[in-house]
């Protein structure tokens, strides 16, 4: 589930990046958004073949941090009028859902490691 959601989110981030660079001519902030937003899915994918539970936990923790950073960039883009409220709400909602899933995975994995 997290794999599919993070991939779909990354695709939306890439499309948003294209919009921001082509239509809004914004290249600096959008690059940060592209990096953090696509890294979430890459880290989730990496975690599928983690070397250990600790490695899995680390990758999921980093994915969680990247998702949180992505939310920051989305807020900044909205507050500086690069994103409309509608664009922001849609992307932010997806980011929140991914963060909830990742936080749950991290919490469950930590509990298993501490047994």
């Amino acid at each position: 589930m997290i794999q599919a959601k993070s991939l779909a989110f990354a695709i939306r981030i890439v499309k948003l990046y294209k919009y921001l660079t082509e239509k809004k001519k914004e290249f600096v902030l959008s690059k940060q958004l592209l990096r953090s937003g696509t890294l979430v899915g890459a880290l989730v994918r990496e975690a599928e073949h983690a070397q250990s539970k600790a490695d899995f936990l680390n990758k999921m923790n980093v994915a969680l941090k990247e998702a949180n950073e992505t939310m920051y960039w989305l807020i900044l883009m909205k507050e500086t009028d690069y994103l409309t409220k509608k664009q922001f709400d849609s992307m932010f909602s997806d980011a929140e859902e991914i963060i909830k899933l990742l936080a749950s995975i991290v919490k469950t994995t930590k509990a298993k490691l501490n047994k």
Side-chain angles (χ1 to χ4, degrees):
M1 179 183 222
I2 187 65
Q3 293 85 348
K5 287 197 180 291
S6 60
L7 176 61
F9 185 69
I11 291 166
R12 290 191 71 203
I13 289 288
V14 169
K15 289 179 180 180
L16 179 57
Y17 172 77
K18 287 169 69 175
Y19 163 79
L20 289 166
T21 56
E22 291 170 9
K23 303 282 189 236
K24 298 285 189 169
K25 304 297 182 205
E26 198 304 305
F27 302 98
V28 179
L29 301 175
S30 57
K31 190 76 164 184
Q32 293 292 100
L33 178 67
L34 177 69
R35 186 200 54 76
S36 65
T38 57
L39 196 52
V40 175
L43 285 159
V44 167
R45 188 69 184 241
E46 245 187 85
E48 288 178 24
H49 296 285
Q51 295 174 334
S52 64
K53 287 260 190 229
D55 186 35
F56 175 84
L57 178 60
N58 182 55
K59 285 177 178 26
M60 287 299 188
N61 258 321
V62 175
L64 178 58
K65 288 165 67 174
E66 292 297 332
N68 191 51
E69 181 183 332
T70 300
M71 290 176 87
Y72 170 82
W73 294 118
L74 288 169
I75 292 166
L76 189 58
M77 293 289 212
K78 180 179 118 330
E79 294 299 322
T80 54
D81 299 322
Y82 284 108
L83 295 179
T84 65
K85 180 171 174 15
K86 184 179 177 183
Q87 289 169 319
F88 170 79
D89 288 347
S90 176
M91 293 299 293
F92 200 79
S93 173
D94 283 358
E96 284 180 316
E97 187 178 352
I98 287 170
I99 283 180
K100 286 177 186 172
L101 287 168
L102 287 168
S104 176
I105 291 167
V106 166
K107 184 179 177 182
T108 303
T109 305
K110 278 183 182 176
K112 287 179 183 176
L113 278 175
N114 291 332
K115 283 187 179 181

